[in-house]
Amino acid sequence: MDKLTQIAVLLIHFFFYTYILIVALRFLLQIVRADFYNPLSQFIVKATNPVLIPLRKVIPGLFGIDIASIILALLLQMIALQLLFLLKVGGMYPILPLIFDSVLQLIGLALNIYFWSFIIMVVISWVAPHTHNPAISIIQSITDPVLRPIRKVLPPMGGLDFSIMAALLCILILQILLPSTIVVLR
């Protein structure tokens, strides 16, 4: 692969996956009913509104779920995979594998968001347990609905909360079970 192709692949990864991450975070923040007035939430809303507002006119929500965000993330993922495939292989990605691999990539992204959110929560609990920060507030909003059922089964013991370790273990198992997408695109 020549240098220009490497640069193009880097730019596709950076721009597409950064925006896909922002769209996925918007979807997760709506699902968990995070604080809309949090500065980080406001950034995510302002970054995604120019694309999501017109898309919502065509794709309505369903049962309180923002379907437009899911469709946008899926379309962006499909475009990114198609561009990467075109650059690296030189052909077009077949449509059904493209959709399947895009869905797998988005599931993997959601697992990564939760994995790193749990890791950040562990580090924050060691370094500055009672810190108030907009980013930490958002991370707690995302992780608490997942940890709550685990804490019912595995309550804190002696001041130690093992629910995060159980959640991390579940995420790692799910990542192993998740089929990997085409290796040539990595």
Side-chain angles (χ1 to χ4, degrees):
M1 186 165 34
D2 67 340
K3 300 292 182 190
L4 287 177
T5 305
Q6 287 178 342
I7 291 170
V9 168
L10 172 72
L11 291 175
I12 289 169
H13 275 285
F14 179 77
F15 288 112
F16 272 91
Y17 293 127
T18 300
Y19 199 70
I20 291 168
L21 174 66
I22 293 170
V23 172
L25 284 172
R26 175 155 181 173
F27 175 74
L28 286 175
L29 293 177
Q30 288 175 338
I31 291 292
V32 300
R33 308 268 189 247
D35 180 17
F36 178 76
Y37 297 105
N38 183 305
L40 193 56
S41 295
Q42 287 294 306
F43 163 75
I44 290 170
V45 167
K46 287 179 182 174
T48 56
N49 267 351
V51 182
L52 276 178
I53 288 176
L55 195 58
R56 282 191 182 139
K57 292 178 182 175
V58 179
I59 304 168
L62 183 65
F63 304 116
I65 297 173
D66 187 15
I67 303 297
S69 294
I70 297 171
I71 298 296
L72 177 60
L74 182 63
L75 289 174
L76 290 171
Q77 183 67 52
M78 290 171 61
I79 292 168
L81 286 178
Q82 184 66 22
L83 289 172
L84 290 171
F85 196 81
L86 189 62
L87 282 171
K88 292 186 175 186
V89 178
M92 296 299 285
Y93 210 131
I95 190 70
L96 288 178
L98 176 65
I99 294 169
F100 182 73
D101 289 346
S102 296
V103 168
L104 289 178
Q105 290 280 332
L106 291 177
I107 292 169
L109 174 65
L111 290 174
N112 281 332
I113 289 171
Y114 275 99
F115 178 83
W116 289 108
S117 296
F118 291 136
I119 295 294
I120 290 169
M121 291 302 296
V122 167
V123 171
I124 292 299
S125 73
W126 292 339
V127 176
H130 301 292
T131 303
H132 292 287
N133 182 313
I136 294 171
S137 173
I138 290 294
I139 291 171
Q140 285 175 333
S141 296
I142 291 172
T143 58
D144 280 347
V146 174
L147 294 176
R148 208 172 295 123
I150 298 172
R151 286 182 179 139
K152 288 181 181 176
V153 176
L154 188 64
M157 293 177 266
L160 296 175
D161 186 6
F162 292 105
S163 62
I164 291 179
M165 288 182 2
L168 284 171
L169 184 62
C170 289
I171 288 172
L172 292 172
I173 290 170
L174 288 172
Q175 286 176 333
I176 290 170
L177 294 175
L178 192 67
S180 61
T181 57
I182 294 177
V183 176
V184 76
L185 299 179
R186 292 189 182 146

